[in-house]
C-alpha cells in the first residue's frame, strides 16, 4: 500500500480531530481541515429539530461577532431553508448539495431573496447526522462561487469521516 503526502496529511489531521472531540474549538478545527480541501465563505454547525435550530458554532460576522443576517435566519428564515425543509420532510444522515434539494425555481423564492443571496450567494453543501426521530446535527458550508463537481465529490468521499466525527462530538454538546 502506498500513500500520497495528501493522504498522510488527511489521516494525521483526522487523528488530531478525534483527540479534540471534547475541545471547545472542535468545530473550528473541523472547518479548518475541510477548508484545506474545499474552500467556502461561511459555515455553521447546528441542530435541526421541530423548534428553532440550536447553533453550536458559526462563522463569525465581519466584526468578529454574530452575523446579523444569520440572526434573522434563526428568528424564522430557517423555516424557508431548503436544507431545513428537506430534513424535516425526510430526516436522514448524509451529504447534501443545494442543487439536489432546492426547488426548481429557487432563485425566485422568498428565502433566496431575503437570505441566501445576501449571506451565501452562490452555493451550499451540508452534512447531516440523524441523531433520533426529531434531531439532526448539521454542518453547512456556503460559497460565493459554485462548487465544482470535483469539490462536491471530495466532500462526498470524506463523508464517512465527517459524519462519524460529528456523531461522536454530540457526546460533548449536550
Amino acid at each position: 500500500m502506498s500513500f500520497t503526502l495528501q493522504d498522510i496529511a488527511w489521516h494525521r489531521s483526522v487523528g488530531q480531530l478525534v483527540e479534540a472531540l471534547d475541545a471547545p474549538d472542535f468545530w473550528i478545527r473541523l472547518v479548518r481541515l475541510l477548508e484545506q480541501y474545499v474552500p467556502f465563505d461561511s459555515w455553521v454547525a447546528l441542530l435541526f429539530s421541530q423548534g428553532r435550530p440550536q447553533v453550536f458554532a458559526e462563522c463569525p460576522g465581519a466584526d468578529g461577532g454574530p452575523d446579523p443576517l444569520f440572526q434573522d435566519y434563526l428568528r424564522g428564515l430557517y423555516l424557508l431553508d431548503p436544507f431545513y425543509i428537506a430534513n424535516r420532510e425526510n430526516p436522514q444522515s448524509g451529504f447534501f448539495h443545494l442543487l439536489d434539494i432546492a426547488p426548481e425555481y429557487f432563485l425566485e423564492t422568498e428565502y433566496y431573496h431575503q437570505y441566501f443571496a445576501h449571506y451565501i450567494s452562490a452555493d451550499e453543501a451540508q452534512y447531516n447526522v440523524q441523531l433520533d426521530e426529531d434531531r439532526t446535527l448539521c454542518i453547512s458550508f456556503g460559497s460565493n462561487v459554485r462548487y465544482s463537481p470535483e469539490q462536491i465529490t471530495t466532500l462526498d468521499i470524506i463523508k464517512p469521516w465527517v459524519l462519524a466525527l460529528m456523531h461522536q462530538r454530540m457526546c460533548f454538546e449536550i
Side-chain angles (χ1 to χ4, degrees):
M1 177 185 303
S2 62
F3 291 102
T4 66
L5 288 176
Q6 189 173 18
D7 294 335
I8 294 167
W10 170 258
H11 289 288
R12 189 171 125 218
S13 295
V14 170
Q16 291 170 341
L17 276 172
V18 169
E19 288 290 325
L21 278 167
D22 63 344
D25 65 346
F26 169 80
W27 293 110
I28 293 169
R29 289 181 187 205
L30 176 59
V31 165
R32 286 183 183 149
L33 171 60
L34 297 177
E35 277 182 319
Q36 293 175 30
Y37 297 90
V38 175
F40 43 87
D41 299 296
S42 62
W43 62 273
V44 63
L46 48 79
L47 188 70
F48 283 159
S49 64
Q50 293 303 332
R52 180 179 164 178
Q54 178 182 355
V55 177
F56 294 128
E58 67 179 282
C59 182
D63 64 357
D67 189 291
L69 193 55
F70 185 66
Q71 298 310 305
D72 289 343
Y73 175 90
L74 293 174
R75 281 190 282 278
L77 286 174
Y78 71 89
L79 294 167
L80 305 174
D81 180 353
F83 286 100
Y84 179 82
I85 294 167
N87 177 263
R88 296 292 83 200
E89 290 176 355
N90 185 22
Q92 59 183 306
S93 295
F95 171 72
F96 303 92
H97 183 216
L98 181 67
L99 292 178
D100 297 327
I101 62 154
E104 184 176 349
Y105 299 103
F106 177 64
L107 299 180
E108 298 169 18
T109 65
E110 182 180 352
Y111 178 77
Y112 177 82
H113 290 289
Q114 286 191 23
Y115 179 77
F116 191 91
H118 305 286
Y119 189 72
I120 298 168
S121 83
D123 211 349
E124 188 173 7
Q126 182 168 295
Y127 291 105
N128 288 355
V129 175
Q130 192 64 35
L131 300 170
D132 56 36
E133 224 174 79
D134 181 53
R135 299 176 312 136
T136 305
L137 177 61
C138 311
I139 188 163
S140 184
F141 305 99
S143 178
N144 294 331
V145 296
R146 284 252 179 236
Y147 291 120
S148 70
E150 293 82 9
Q151 291 170 322
I152 293 299
T153 300
T154 297
L155 291 170
D156 194 41
I157 287 170
I158 62 175
K159 170 181 62 182
W161 287 104
V162 176
L163 296 183
L165 286 164
M166 291 171 62
H167 188 263
Q168 293 302 312
R169 173 61 186 186
M170 279 308 294
C171 297
F172 305 101
E173 291 291 353
I174 297 176

